[in-house]
Amino acid sequence: MSAWDDKDFALMRALSRDDTQSASVLGRQLGLSQPATWRRIKRLQAAGVLAGRRVDLNVEALGFGVTVFLGVKLATRGQVSLEDFERAVTAIPEVQTVQHVLGRYDYRLRVVARDISDFERVLRHRIMTVRGIGDVEANVLLSEERLLGPL
């Protein structure tokens, strides 16, 4: 049996759509008082279900019109530690996410650039100079839809 009821799941869905809403506004949507809504939010935070808040920047508005997903296979296991590789690529400002994955590639990177020539510069002068990089496959993002998750 789940520790969360229908109101908790509705609260999670509402927060995943817009986490700037006040407990008062959320409570009205859910048929709860502001204090009851706040207690539920605090309980979800304490349980680690609500792991934090983040700002969702519009990278296009900031001048980054290209997003590329890179599949990266390390050249040789043991040549570079996973931690060293992760530390090196996370230090590159254009790399938004670094995911250690299972499959054809060892890592999946989300990289933003101003345009394709800027991406080429980032790839050649920043990413490909990281010690241990082997095969790389690039996939340019054409469009993206946000899914709210399993709730």
Side-chain angles (χ1 to χ4, degrees), residues 34-118:
Q34 183 272 340
T37 304
W38 186 246
R39 281 192 300 274
R40 285 176 183 263
I41 290 170
K42 286 298 187 188
R43 188 167 46 99
L44 292 167
Q45 288 172 332
V49 173
L50 298 179
R53 292 182 172 197
R54 65 174 202 172
V55 173
D56 189 14
L57 298 175
N58 180 341
V59 293
E60 287 183 21
L62 292 169
F64 295 93
V66 173
T67 299
V68 179
F69 294 98
L70 286 182
V72 176
K73 186 154 192 71
L74 298 180
T76 306
R77 296 240 186 248
Q79 182 180 5
V80 63
S81 76
L82 300 180
E83 292 80 14
D84 288 345
F85 173 79
E86 291 167 5
R87 196 171 13 263
V89 293
T90 56
I92 300 169
E94 293 85 357
V95 175
Q96 288 190 312
T97 59
V98 178
Q99 300 169 327
H100 188 204
V101 296
L102 183 62
R104 180 176 178 172
Y105 293 97
D106 299 311
Y107 284 91
R108 183 172 174 260
L109 310 180
R110 182 183 180 119
V111 181
V112 294
R114 298 197 181 287
D115 52 34
I116 290 295
S117 63
D118 186 43

